[in-house]
Amino acid sequence: MYNTKRITDDLHWVGANDRRLMLFEGVYDVPLGVSYNSYIILDDKTVLFDTVDKAVAHQFFENIEHILNSRNLDYLVITHMEPDHCAEIGNLIKKYPNIKIVCNTKTQTMLEQFFDFKIGEDKFFIVKEGDHLETGKHKLTFYMAPMVHWPEVMVAYDETDKTLFSADAFGSFGAIDGNIFADEVDFNHRYMNEARRYYTNIVGKYGQQVQMLLKKVQALDVEMICPLHGYVWRKDLNTFIDKYQKWSTYEPEIKSVLIPYTSVYGNTQNAAEILAGELAKLGVKNIKMYDASVTHPSYIVSDVFKYSHIVFATTTYNMGIFVNMEILLNDLTAHNMQNRKVAIIENGSWAIMAGNQISEIVSKWKNTEIIGNKVTLKSSTKKTQREELEALAKEIVMTM
Ligand code: FEO
């Protein structure tokens, strides 16, 4: 049975939720689920913005049928070709054979990579930067947004209703629980962490490209944002745009200390806890610790984007960095992490190597400074190392 949501009189959400998905993109758990958003404009011509993941296809087609109410579907706008939005293009074309596909040339090429069927040239409405599509009352303009988050990404701006169809930008993990607008839910408390985890892990690497998109968005008069995942924004747009501004320039949101650690037998954890306690004594608020062997890197990557100071505490293992810490560090490098202050605690019972290897990785991050003296434990924290940890806490605070 259909489950659609009215956004305006002639704009409707026809997407669907998945709360059973084990791993989004085969990597990220989604404890709040995920929505695959799709929108229809009902004008002289009808326009669908993207399809959905194959897992929710049934609901999607029921929704379209209901909203179209026997009308034809004239246009499909493809904002990018990732299968969580494009899996149903083939079935959509079968069902609505007269549909025209609105996309750019890169998307046209990628369509052929994903699907076996051939689409005639006359079925395409190919657009480039600034091109328009008039559908009656509505006038859509297309803007390219390469690498936000695939190379062929484009967004569409509806001049009539001042609505931006933003593709993956301004999206969030988390299913749509009934309400459709971000201002109808406690977004800051319930969804902001998941929005940050979505942004940082999915497009965090491409800050520069996100900046280019933000400049385009700021030049438009946008009153509503319809992303491909999560809630629709129609109020306090600047709150979310400001977050994007920070995340895409790698500017920390808070001055505080994040301590991801790994610990084989608890001794490295003990040192990390002592440091955290000393920081607290010095008045640092919102200190956060993660056991990087227990928590998926996507949560820690997300908080590294949030925090100004990061302390990596880990053990030497196989003559290198303990495996889960190494995975985290490589993930941060892959996400173009920069602009942070970093301190290091290392441990080892013999041939201690981890600290220097972390320095080597972190020294390649842009605008990143290693602060304080590295604290080295030989198996466990003794009085001398406790004093070093106390000194490190003071040095960290001096840089805040
Ligand atoms: Fe939600 Fe880039 O796909």
Side-chain angles (χ1 to χ4, degrees):
M1 178 52 70
Y2 70 85
N3 177 32
T4 59
K5 294 175 194 302
R6 178 193 172 278
I7 296 173
T8 65
D9 283 345
D10 58 3
L11 175 64
H12 300 265
W13 179 87
V14 289
N17 292 312
D18 189 346
R19 295 186 186 81
R20 285 191 169 185
L21 179 65
M22 180 74 85
L23 295 173
F24 181 81
E25 288 191 359
V27 187
Y28 309 110
D29 69 327
V30 279
L32 301 179
V34 66
S35 74
Y36 301 108
N37 296 347
S38 172
Y39 305 93
I40 288 187
I41 289 178
L42 296 176
D43 202 355
D44 293 347
K45 299 286 181 186
T46 57
V47 188
L48 178 73
F49 291 87
D50 290 299
T51 71
V52 292
D53 190 86
K54 62 180 182 299
V56 296
H58 186 79
Q59 178 73 69
F60 167 68
F61 281 108
E62 289 208 84
N63 287 350
I64 297 180
E65 257 180 59
H66 170 70
I67 291 297
L68 286 176
N69 193 21
S70 302
R71 286 188 66 182
N72 191 29
L73 185 55
D74 297 302
Y75 293 107
L76 166 68
V77 175
I78 304 177
T79 61
H80 72 307
M81 273 305 296
E82 199 166 7
D84 56 334
H85 310 292
C86 282
E88 291 306 313
I89 290 177
N91 289 329
L92 189 82
I93 293 171
K94 272 187 211 148
K95 201 170 161 64
Y96 302 99
N98 297 324
I99 197 167
K100 276 220 167 191
I101 296 178
V102 184
C103 67
N104 56 54
T105 49
K106 283 186 195 155
T107 302
Q108 193 179 18
T109 308
M110 233 183 250
L111 252 174
E112 285 170 12
Q113 290 176 201
F114 275 102
F115 295 103
D116 289 330
F117 54 78
K118 199 81 194 143
I119 303 171
E121 283 297 319
D122 60 323
K123 293 276 180 205
F124 284 101
F125 184 92
I126 298 293
V127 294
K128 51 187 188 328
E129 180 79 11
D131 280 353
H132 306 291
L133 172 65
E134 295 196 29
T135 62
K137 181 181 138 202
H138 293 268
K139 183 177 176 189
L140 300 169
T141 308
F142 300 94
Y143 297 95
M144 303 303 126
M147 300 320 297
V148 189
H149 96 267
W150 276 28
E152 78 289 13
V153 171
M154 65 180 198
V155 300
Y157 175 65
D158 174 9
E159 251 176 50
T160 315
D161 283 349
K162 301 185 167 78
T163 298
L164 181 71
F165 296 92
S166 62
D168 278 334
F170 305 108
S172 173
F173 289 141
I176 289 176
D177 291 349
N179 302 107
I180 183 70
F181 297 107
D183 58 274
E184 295 175 321
V185 297
D186 191 350
F187 195 90
N188 265 339
H189 286 103
R190 186 159 158 76
Y191 296 102
M192 191 56 89
N193 285 342
E194 283 298 85
R196 182 185 300 101
R197 192 166 69 94
Y198 173 83
Y199 171 86
T200 54
N201 286 280
I202 307 285
V203 280
K205 180 181 178 66
Y206 301 107
Q208 236 179 336
Q209 289 85 344
V210 174
Q211 276 287 298
M212 283 162 66
L213 175 61
L214 285 179
K215 285 195 176 82
K216 291 181 188 183
V217 170
Q218 274 151 4
L220 299 169
D221 183 10
V222 178
E223 288 185 358
M224 186 154 67
I225 299 177
C226 294
L228 286 177
H229 302 284
Y231 291 90
V232 169
W233 288 81
R234 65 175 176 184
K235 285 188 186 165
D236 301 326
L237 265 55
N238 282 337
T239 314
F240 207 33
I241 291 173
D242 285 351
K243 289 283 183 197
Y244 262 64
Q245 183 61 30
K246 282 209 160 72
W247 297 337
S248 59
T249 51
Y250 306 91
E251 190 189 327
E253 288 170 68
I254 60 168
K255 279 203 171 175
S256 184
V257 186
L258 181 75
I259 312 177
Y261 68 87
T262 56
S263 190
V264 183
Y265 293 108
N267 290 306
T268 313
Q269 178 187 349
N270 176 235
E273 304 266 15
I274 290 168
L275 178 71
E278 291 303 313
L279 288 164
K281 275 188 210 163
L282 295 170
V284 180
K285 304 277 193 296
N286 295 310
I287 302 158
K288 195 163 185 181
M289 301 180 71
Y290 279 112
D291 184 328
S293 289
V294 172
T295 305
H296 189 271
S298 65
Y299 291 88
I300 310 176
V301 166
S302 178
D303 266 338
V304 174
F305 270 75
K306 181 176 177 181
Y307 277 72
S308 58
H309 289 64
I310 321 295
V311 181
F312 295 105
T314 195
T315 320
T316 299
Y317 204 75
N318 289 332
M319 302 289 280
I321 302 166
F322 185 81
V323 57
N324 291 320
M325 183 57 78
E326 191 171 25
I327 289 169
L328 172 64
L329 288 159
N330 289 339
D331 213 6
L332 288 164
T333 302
H335 285 89
N336 209 4
M337 184 38 63
Q338 50 188 274
N339 205 22
R340 292 295 180 278
K341 295 207 176 348
V342 168
I344 298 167
I345 301 171
E346 64 175 351
N347 194 358
S349 295
W350 69 95
I352 305 171
M353 324 274 279
N356 285 345
Q357 294 186 17
I358 293 176
S359 298
E360 217 172 288
I361 293 171
V362 167
S363 64
K364 293 186 184 122
W365 297 356
K366 208 170 141 192
N367 269 340
T368 295
E369 186 191 343
I370 296 182
I371 49 168
N373 291 321
K374 175 180 71 183
V375 176
T376 301
L377 313 180
K378 285 185 181 153
S379 303
S380 65
T381 303
K382 299 287 191 282
K383 191 169 173 292
T384 315
Q385 283 83 44
R386 203 189 199 289
E387 286 163 4
E388 287 175 8
L389 289 165
E390 289 165 13
L392 180 59
K394 286 182 189 142
E395 283 170 298
I396 291 172
V397 169
M398 278 188 331
T399 66
M400 294 182 86

